[in-house]
Amino acid sequence: MAENVKKKKKQKEVLEGFEKFNRVSKPTNAVLHVIFILAALACVVPVLLVVAISFSAEESIQQYGYSFIPKIVSLEGYAYLVTQGKMILRALGISLFVTVVGTVLGVLLTTLMGYVLSRPTYKLKGFLTMVVFIPMVFNGGLVSTYVVVTQFLGLKNSIWALILPLCVSSFNVIICRTFFQTTVPESLIESAKMDGATQLKIFFSVVLPISLPVLATIGLFLSFAYWNDWYQSLLYIEDSSLYSLQALLNAILTNIQVLAKNAAAMGASQAEVLANMPQESARMAIVVCIVLPIACAYPYFQKYFISGLTVGAVKG
């Protein structure tokens, strides 16, 4: 009885020691709170300003400048986008197609590579791991990448130029490999082998059904990358009919006359369009339309996003 009391006392002392070691002083805690609040405001305030500008009248912006509270509330920015519906909807369709197809294909290829590299009996495991890891530190540069995509693969002015270059990331492969090594029981795979299952059968019927966290994490990474990407369009796309919504936004931000030229092709003069176009509010309205879907989807995948970063950072 006395030994149990001593043991519990010792455990209590150990726990108190850990709590003391992990304890944060009140001044430090206050400083951390201030830092986190400022960081949160730095992320939220620009978004609120963009939303406010998108609901401001053009004459209000010209007269009073940017304001968090619109002097004159107006929907002319969104109304103008509706008038340009054909171009906006086409770009939106390209973005949706690229995001969906790229995410599905990327998740499939990434998890397949990660699973292969996680197998302890695979003879080329060490060599291929280095092949995957080296591009995380070094890359061939922009010129060589451009030559490979346009000359060797022939993807210029193709929608696949928006998908394939971003499809597989070394970082995502390492995350998958680490997850499969640390989470999927080897005994489960051995049992499936004893039942006569092939490697593909094991992967699709045994491994993937218990790998929802890593699937959601990689899918989230890829969907964010595809939805927000405009750089691939800048490099490989010359046909404006293949512009994604983000590439169209970048073109508008670079030169507001992109919308005017599109309207002129439908019979309106550029001078008339430029005179009547709500330039600032229209640009901010497009930003809101692009950010809104991701902002709405992110809270549902946040825990997977954090778990994916933890897997890659702690055990990778």
Side-chain angles (χ1 to χ4, degrees), residues 206-270:
V206 178
V207 176
L208 286 188
I210 61 175
S211 302
L212 179 60
V214 76
L215 294 178
T217 301
I218 301 303
L220 188 66
F221 288 162
L222 288 171
S223 60
F224 280 6
Y226 280 116
W227 182 260
N228 294 321
D229 176 66
W230 56 269
Y231 191 60
Q232 308 302 317
S233 297
L234 180 65
L235 289 178
Y236 308 120
I237 303 299
E238 295 178 354
D239 185 0
S240 60
S241 64
L242 294 177
Y243 275 179
S244 65
L245 193 59
Q246 294 71 24
L248 180 63
L249 170 64
N250 180 65
I252 294 171
L253 294 177
T254 304
N255 184 2
I256 194 64
Q257 291 186 353
V258 170
L259 282 178
K261 291 179 180 178
N262 183 77
M266 294 186 289
S269 67
Q270 292 193 27

Side-chain angles (χ1 to χ4, degrees), residues 8 14 27 40 47 86 95 114 121 148 164 182 237 245 281 302:
K8 290 181 179 179
V14 171
V47 177
K86 183 178 180 180
S95 289
T121 58
V148 169
L164 296 182
T182 58
I237 303 299
L245 193 59
S281 57
Q302 183 179 8

Side-chain angles (χ1 to χ4, degrees), residues 17 37 39 51 71 110 132 144 156 163 215 227 244-245 250 305 307 312:
I37 290 173
V51 174
K71 302 294 183 181
T110 302
V132 171
S144 59
K156 190 171 183 179
I163 297 176
L215 294 178
W227 182 260
S244 65
L245 193 59
N250 180 65
F305 184 86
S307 67

Side-chain angles (χ1 to χ4, degrees), residues 81-275:
L81 294 185
V82 173
T83 65
Q84 304 298 321
K86 183 178 180 180
M87 180 178 61
I88 299 296
L89 288 177
R90 181 177 64 240
L92 177 61
I94 294 292
S95 289
L96 291 175
F97 178 82
V98 168
T99 300
V100 173
V101 175
T103 299
V104 173
L105 186 61
V107 169
L108 178 62
L109 294 178
T110 302
T111 51
L112 281 170
M113 292 178 65
Y115 176 72
V116 170
L117 296 179
S118 69
R119 297 301 86 217
T121 58
Y122 184 53
K123 294 182 180 180
L124 297 178
K125 173 185 174 182
F127 171 74
L128 292 180
T129 298
M130 290 304 300
V131 170
V132 171
F133 177 76
I134 288 175
M136 291 180 62
V137 184
F138 307 102
N139 61 66
L142 178 59
V143 174
S144 59
T145 302
Y146 182 84
V147 170
V148 169
V149 173
T150 58
Q151 302 297 324
F152 288 91
L153 300 179
L155 298 179
K156 190 171 183 179
N157 273 330
S158 168
I159 198 169
W160 291 104
L162 305 178
I163 297 176
L164 296 182
L166 301 178
C167 199
V168 177
S169 165
S170 296
F171 177 71
N172 292 343
V173 173
I174 296 299
I175 287 179
C176 289
R177 185 207 63 173
T178 304
F179 181 88
F180 293 141
Q181 283 180 337
T182 58
T183 306
V184 179
E186 190 65 28
S187 58
L188 192 62
I189 297 177
E190 292 298 329
S191 299
K193 287 181 180 179
M194 293 177 63
D195 291 337
T198 62
Q199 287 291 349
L200 284 177
K201 182 71 173 179
I202 293 172
F203 177 73
F204 286 106
S205 300
V206 178
V207 176
L208 286 188
I210 61 175
S211 302
L212 179 60
V214 76
L215 294 178
T217 301
I218 301 303
L220 188 66
F221 288 162
L222 288 171
S223 60
F224 280 6
Y226 280 116
W227 182 260
N228 294 321
D229 176 66
W230 56 269
Y231 191 60
Q232 308 302 317
S233 297
L234 180 65
L235 289 178
Y236 308 120
I237 303 299
E238 295 178 354
D239 185 0
S240 60
S241 64
L242 294 177
Y243 275 179
S244 65
L245 193 59
Q246 294 71 24
L248 180 63
L249 170 64
N250 180 65
I252 294 171
L253 294 177
T254 304
N255 184 2
I256 194 64
Q257 291 186 353
V258 170
L259 282 178
K261 291 179 180 178
N262 183 77
M266 294 186 289
S269 67
Q270 292 193 27
E272 180 184 354
V273 173
L274 287 174

